[in-house]
Amino acid sequence: MQCRCSQPLWALGIPDCHPVLRPIRRVAFETQLGPSSNPAEFDLVNSTVYPNARRLMTPILYNVESERPEAVFEELSGTKFFVRHQPRTFKALVAKPPTEWGINIEQLRCVSRLGVFLIDDAGVVWGKRVSPFEAAPIPIESGTVQARLLFPSDAAITKYEFSFDFAQSLMDFELVPVFAAAGLLNYVPGIAARILILGNPSTLQALIYALYSRGAGDLYIPITGLAAYLELRDNANTRITTTFTEVEPGAYGSDPLTLSPSGNPYTIRVGTGAPSGAFDYTTAVAQFSV
């Protein structure tokens, strides 16, 4: 906090009943960092203000550590002067993940604004207090996000360790509980679906898949049953009428197309009406030019 002239000193009393931060078991990343005064918007599974939190929620975490190094002081003639706080760090383990999972953490460095909600072992969601009426995601430094695979041994399982720094400006006393639902500990986010363009755009072919191997030599999960939900649009977002057929599991081919370069780039995506099931189609988008 910043001191000011005639700074009041608030009393140190504590209410008889108050929430206490418990061990953190999950983290939900969010790119929308604006505040909200509506408690329902912190229901992360259904929120419209924070739509990424339900997609970017980690599995259960183990050995969670969060430390704030000692503050920086300058000493002059034996007298210390406060300079600044050090940023708080966060580190946790994910047990027995697929190796491909690490790219989902590494990609978070690609956004300029990033925050998190912390979910403790009672299902309480913690955010950052903005005012007596508003809270927001806890800001972090996206450039500090990293993940590393810890190999197994005779005495240890495979693990991913991931870490990040909270924003320099975050003060510990700003953490506040914003929602509670024990079911958050059991919530399963969708698996990211991807689209890869194959073949000549005159007869468009696309592979829709999840980047997780199913076994040795079986390098991806094909996503089937989406022929009726694929959309092709030009650079003006005008939908191009065509019919797709699933020619083999996860691989879709279009009717013959006549596409003009003036429509470049074209976009193919899975439409919003597709049944989600185990998959998340938010990122099932690909572009191509003719």
Side-chain angles (χ1 to χ4, degrees), residues 132-206:
F133 317 104
E134 296 177 308
I138 304 165
I140 72 172
E141 298 291 347
S142 60
T144 65
V145 177
Q146 62 175 323
R148 63 181 185 131
L149 185 68
L150 305 181
F151 275 39
S153 70
D154 292 341
I157 62 171
T158 303
K159 299 175 286 292
Y160 253 114
E161 178 187 87
F162 77 93
S163 61
F164 57 81
D165 289 356
F166 290 98
Q168 174 76 45
S169 60
L170 177 70
M171 295 289 98
D172 294 341
F173 53 76
E174 293 176 316
L175 297 177
V176 64
V178 294
F179 190 76
L184 284 172
L185 298 176
N186 301 316
Y187 173 72
V188 179
I191 300 169
R194 301 175 179 226
I195 296 183
L196 179 65
I197 301 296
L198 304 171
N200 191 326
S202 63
T203 53
L204 184 63
Q205 297 180 24

Side-chain angles (χ1 to χ4, degrees), residues 185-230:
L185 298 176
N186 301 316
Y187 173 72
V188 179
I191 300 169
R194 301 175 179 226
I195 296 183
L196 179 65
I197 301 296
L198 304 171
N200 191 326
S202 63
T203 53
L204 184 63
Q205 297 180 24
L207 175 66
I208 304 179
Y209 67 104
L211 190 63
Y212 289 100
S213 62
R214 298 188 293 182
D218 194 356
L219 302 184
Y220 66 91
I221 301 172
I223 304 176
T224 61
L226 296 176
Y229 303 101
L230 294 181

Side-chain angles (χ1 to χ4, degrees), residues 272-285:
T272 56
S276 58
F279 298 100
D280 173 66
Y281 298 115
T282 306
T283 52
V285 180

Side-chain angles (χ1 to χ4, degrees), residues 27-245:
V27 169
F29 293 92
E30 179 54 63
T31 58
Q32 304 298 321
L33 302 188
S36 176
S37 60
N38 182 359
E41 292 299 348
F42 297 102
D43 175 0
L44 303 184
V45 175
N46 302 297
S47 178
T48 56
V49 172
Y50 306 113
N52 290 306
R54 58 181 167 269
R55 300 176 51 247
L56 304 178
M57 192 179 298
T58 68
I60 293 295
L61 303 177
Y62 298 90
N63 290 13
V64 175
E65 299 176 12
S66 183
E67 298 180 352
R68 185 187 289 275
E70 292 287 338
V72 176
F73 290 87
E74 183 179 11
E75 184 172 338
L76 300 176
S77 301
T79 300
K80 288 185 176 181
F81 296 87
F82 176 84
V83 177
R84 59 179 171 83
H85 286 292
Q86 299 269 46
R88 174 171 287 278
T89 62
F90 184 95
K91 182 169 65 175
L93 299 176
V94 175
K96 301 177 73 172
T99 55
E100 297 95 339
W101 186 79
I103 194 173
N104 300 326
I105 295 297
E106 294 284 341
Q107 69 174 347
L108 297 171
R109 288 200 302 272
C110 298
V111 298
S112 58
R113 288 165 48 84
L114 189 64
V116 295
F117 292 104
L118 305 178
I119 303 170
D120 71 20
D121 66 4
V124 177
V125 179
W126 292 77
K128 176 188 175 182
R129 181 189 296 278
V130 176
S131 75
F133 317 104
E134 296 177 308
I138 304 165
I140 72 172
E141 298 291 347
S142 60
T144 65
V145 177
Q146 62 175 323
R148 63 181 185 131
L149 185 68
L150 305 181
F151 275 39
S153 70
D154 292 341
I157 62 171
T158 303
K159 299 175 286 292
Y160 253 114
E161 178 187 87
F162 77 93
S163 61
F164 57 81
D165 289 356
F166 290 98
Q168 174 76 45
S169 60
L170 177 70
M171 295 289 98
D172 294 341
F173 53 76
E174 293 176 316
L175 297 177
V176 64
V178 294
F179 190 76
L184 284 172
L185 298 176
N186 301 316
Y187 173 72
V188 179
I191 300 169
R194 301 175 179 226
I195 296 183
L196 179 65
I197 301 296
L198 304 171
N200 191 326
S202 63
T203 53
L204 184 63
Q205 297 180 24
L207 175 66
I208 304 179
Y209 67 104
L211 190 63
Y212 289 100
S213 62
R214 298 188 293 182
D218 194 356
L219 302 184
Y220 66 91
I221 301 172
I223 304 176
T224 61
L226 296 176
Y229 303 101
L230 294 181
E231 298 179 357
L232 178 62
R233 297 179 181 270
D234 64 14
N235 57 13
N237 203 34
T238 302
R239 187 166 181 177
I240 310 299
T241 302
T242 189
T243 299
F244 287 90
T245 303

